[in-house]
Amino acid sequence: MKKTILVFTLLIVSLYTLFRVSKYSLILGETSIEFIIITIAVIFFIIGVYINKKSLHKSRNISEEINHQKIKEMEITSREYEVLQAISKGLSNKEIAEKLFLSESTIKTHVSNLLVKLNAKRRTQAIQIAKDHKIL
Amino acid sequence: MKKTILVFTLLIVSLYTLFRVSKYSLILGETSIEFIIITIAVIFFIIGVYINKKSLHKSRNISEEINHQKIKEMEITSREYEVLQAISKGLSNKEIAEKLFLSESTIKTHVSNLLVKLNAKRRTQAIQIAKDHKIL
DNA sequence: ACAGGCTTCATACTAAAGTACCAAATATCT
DNA sequence: AGATATTTGGTACTTTAGTATGAAGCCTGT
């Protein structure tokens, strides 16, 4: 938000400056109209590229962000989500159990519940489905 | 390539048109210099946004493209790669076998070889490693 | 023609993954 | 405090995954 305001302020200031410069130049007869037009064109071309890059960058990150709303909708609990993340990293149930200081039985329970909630038959499918829903 | 040429051609034409219009307008005294500047600014701003969007789109796709070179380096054969893709979609060995009209034994062999080549212990880990190497 | 890699498949096995069902401790919310 | 959801864990079982080994047919380059 702050950046947007800054950019637009700079835009207005540069526009105003261009007015003054171009007018003085014309009155003094030193600069040709072609030069002014080219200058303006180049400046605003660069501004266009810059703003677009920024906005695209943001929207790209948003699209790759995790959909927390969807996690709630699917009724995936926080512990289950931790297990899901571990699965996507390629860990086995035993490894996940060690990582979270739990028994393998517990992990199996979580995984089983996850598969039902994600409507998956296997953990590999769960990864795919979770990524489709932008949960991972 | 063709599009780039088209865009630059349009750029030159529009620039030339602006020259003519601005000159006539000034001579005739009908249009203010401010209006011309704003027009040019807007047009080139839009052009900047457009070109940037195009180029970013291409570069983004390139960065997310599959690293075919890496596949060769890891000595993954074409059949093995097909199996790898199927694994990442969450299919079981049986399902992969049906999809490729092969026996489950064959798929198991391919998977086993894949795990060695990818230095993975499980198929889920293979997916993760493959994505890290931009093979998937 | 022959070596070498690729693909295919089988058997026999071990290891993980996943299901079903139950039970208890812990939070959480009203 | 009591209902509810979460988290944890167990047993017993079935299914899938993965390993090891061997073998045969098929291309490809020499």
Side-chain angles (χ1 to χ4, degrees):
Chain A
M1 275 300 111
K2 281 181 181 176
K3 276 196 174 180
T4 310
I5 291 162
L6 184 73
V7 166
F8 274 94
T9 308
L10 283 172
L11 250 164
I12 291 158
V13 170
S14 61
L15 205 60
Y16 179 73
T17 310
L18 277 166
F19 282 158
R20 304 309 301 270
V21 169
S22 61
K23 272 194 173 177
Y24 278 119
S25 298
L26 279 174
I27 290 159
L28 292 170
E30 283 172 357
T31 320
S32 64
I33 183 75
E34 283 90 347
F35 179 76
I36 294 161
I37 288 171
I38 287 168
T39 307
I40 295 162
V42 168
I43 288 168
F44 278 83
F45 179 80
I46 290 164
I47 290 169
V49 168
Y50 177 78
I51 287 179
N52 190 249
K53 192 170 271 180
K54 286 282 164 186
S55 67
L56 264 182
H57 207 75
K58 279 180 184 173
S59 67
R60 206 194 307 172
N61 286 353
I62 287 164
S63 72
E64 285 181 7
E65 255 176 19
I66 296 151
N67 191 347
H68 296 283
Q69 187 59 39
K70 196 79 189 176
I71 297 171
K72 283 178 189 167
E73 280 174 27
M74 294 189 128
E75 295 178 332
I76 293 169
T77 67
S78 58
R79 212 49 160 162
E80 282 164 1
Y81 186 66
E82 278 186 274
V83 173
L84 180 60
Q85 286 177 315
I87 288 172
S88 79
K89 284 174 187 164
L91 301 182
S92 68
N93 289 339
K94 198 181 234 174
E95 285 169 343
I96 297 168
E98 284 166 9
K99 194 185 174 187
L100 300 178
F101 304 105
L102 298 173
S103 80
E104 203 184 328
S105 301
T106 309
I107 305 303
K108 280 190 179 185
T109 308
H110 288 321
V111 171
S112 225
N113 291 332
L114 265 172
L115 294 181
V116 172
K117 287 175 182 178
L118 286 168
N119 195 29
K121 287 174 189 168
R122 282 162 292 282
R123 46 171 59 211
T124 47
Q125 203 182 359
I127 295 170
Q128 189 56 40
I129 291 168
K131 283 188 177 167
D132 282 347
H133 289 326
K134 303 200 171 175
I135 282 174
L136 276 178
Chain B
M1 275 301 112
K2 280 181 181 176
K3 276 195 174 181
T4 310
I5 291 162
L6 184 73
V7 166
F8 275 94
T9 307
L10 283 171
L11 249 164
I12 291 159
V13 169
S14 60
L15 205 61
Y16 180 74
T17 310
L18 277 166
F19 282 158
R20 304 310 301 269
V21 169
S22 60
K23 274 196 172 174
Y24 278 118
S25 299
L26 279 174
I27 291 161
L28 292 169
E30 284 172 356
T31 320
S32 64
I33 184 77
E34 283 90 348
F35 179 76
I36 293 161
I37 288 170
I38 288 169
T39 308
I40 294 162
V42 168
I43 287 168
F44 278 84
F45 179 80
I46 291 165
I47 290 168
V49 169
Y50 177 77
I51 286 179
N52 190 248
K53 191 169 271 177
K54 286 283 166 186
S55 66
L56 264 183
H57 206 73
K58 280 180 183 174
S59 68
R60 205 193 312 171
N61 286 355
I62 287 163
S63 72
E64 284 181 9
E65 253 178 21
I66 297 151
N67 190 346
H68 296 283
Q69 187 57 39
K70 196 79 189 174
I71 298 172
K72 283 179 190 168
E73 280 174 25
M74 295 188 125
E75 294 178 334
I76 294 168
T77 66
S78 59
R79 211 51 160 163
E80 282 163 1
Y81 187 66
E82 278 186 276
V83 173
L84 180 60
Q85 286 178 315
I87 287 172
S88 80
K89 283 174 188 165
L91 302 182
S92 68
N93 289 337
K94 198 182 233 171
E95 285 169 343
I96 298 168
E98 284 166 7
K99 193 185 173 187
L100 300 179
F101 304 103
L102 298 172
S103 80
E104 203 185 329
S105 302
T106 308
I107 306 302
K108 281 190 178 184
T109 307
H110 287 321
V111 172
S112 224
N113 291 331
L114 264 172
L115 294 181
V116 172
K117 287 175 182 178
L118 286 168
N119 195 28
K121 287 174 189 168
R122 282 163 292 282
R123 46 171 59 209
T124 48
Q125 203 182 0
I127 294 169
Q128 190 55 41
I129 291 168
K131 282 186 178 169
D132 283 348
H133 288 325
K134 304 203 169 174
I135 281 174
L136 274 177

